[in-house]
Amino acid sequence: DVKVTQSSRYLVKRTGEKVFLECVQDMDHENMFWYRQDPGLGLRLIYFSYDVKMKEKGDIPEGYSVSREKKERFSLILESASTNQTSMYLCATATGIQETQYFGPGTRLLVL
Amino acid sequence: AQTVTQSQPEMSVQEAETVTLSCTYDTSENNYYLFWYKQPPSRQMILVIRQEAYKQQNATENRFSVNFQKAAKSFSLKISDSQLGDTAMYFCAFMNSFSGNTPLVFGKGTRLSVIA
């Protein structure tokens, strides 16, 4: 079974803080993705990575950056958290861009 | 740009009954993939079913089946013999065969409640 873990289930941060969300997978998948999920908006892609040190912007990259130094780990960084970044963040992995994505449990982030 | 529309924000069904969740999409491409994902309350999103557009046969996975109408750009999910464990958010998703900036496009979801 594919295992995708995220560093925290719940996180509370203050406006202006730098926030790191980590995702780790154990299936040697090439591709990793970060989404945010908001009620009534579904899932929106923030960034994805198809290889170590490679990244591509998704639909809503503003205010976020990512890091992929190792194949199994994909980090989402909020350089200066804002209240409009309060959301559920989901990580996903896949063997290829067109393959089925496997999701982590999600991190619910609250920015005060 | 591709879009995915789920017109039913919420639905409910009695246990053991059948329910159909609707999904329509907009694309000018001929080759693509369609997915239904399920997100139970406080649990991980999992794949329910996947359909390749070039296959005419509708995908089936146990009690879950799809009605894929390519000309109408419709991809509905039918859940037979509904169980309490089917209570979840269901997301329809589209993926172009030639991926660009956005590999997977999701609809806004349908919240399904199965009632005992």
Side-chain angles (χ1 to χ4, degrees), chain A residues 3-17:
Chain A
K3 189 168 184 182
V4 184
T5 57
Q6 294 183 228
S7 49
S8 307
R9 290 300 301 271
Y10 301 94
L11 209 52
V12 181
K13 296 291 182 181
R14 298 239 174 242
T15 302
E17 278 192 79

Side-chain angles (χ1 to χ4, degrees), chain B residues 48-105:
Chain B
V48 175
I49 208 161
R50 170 187 168 121
Q51 173 86 41
E52 287 83 6
Y54 64 85
K55 290 186 178 178
Q56 293 190 353
Q57 187 172 6
N58 289 325
T60 298
E61 194 69 43
N62 299 317
R63 296 181 296 107
F64 298 86
S65 61
V66 297
N67 183 6
F68 174 46
Q69 301 288 329
K70 191 171 184 180
K73 298 180 183 175
S74 170
F75 184 61
S76 60
L77 175 70
K78 185 171 86 170
I79 306 174
S80 304
D81 186 25
S82 297
Q83 300 176 0
L84 296 177
D86 295 333
T87 291
M89 280 289 290
Y90 287 83
F91 292 96
C92 178
F94 170 97
M95 178 187 291
N96 198 336
S97 290
F98 300 100
S99 61
N101 205 28
T102 306
L104 199 58
V105 178

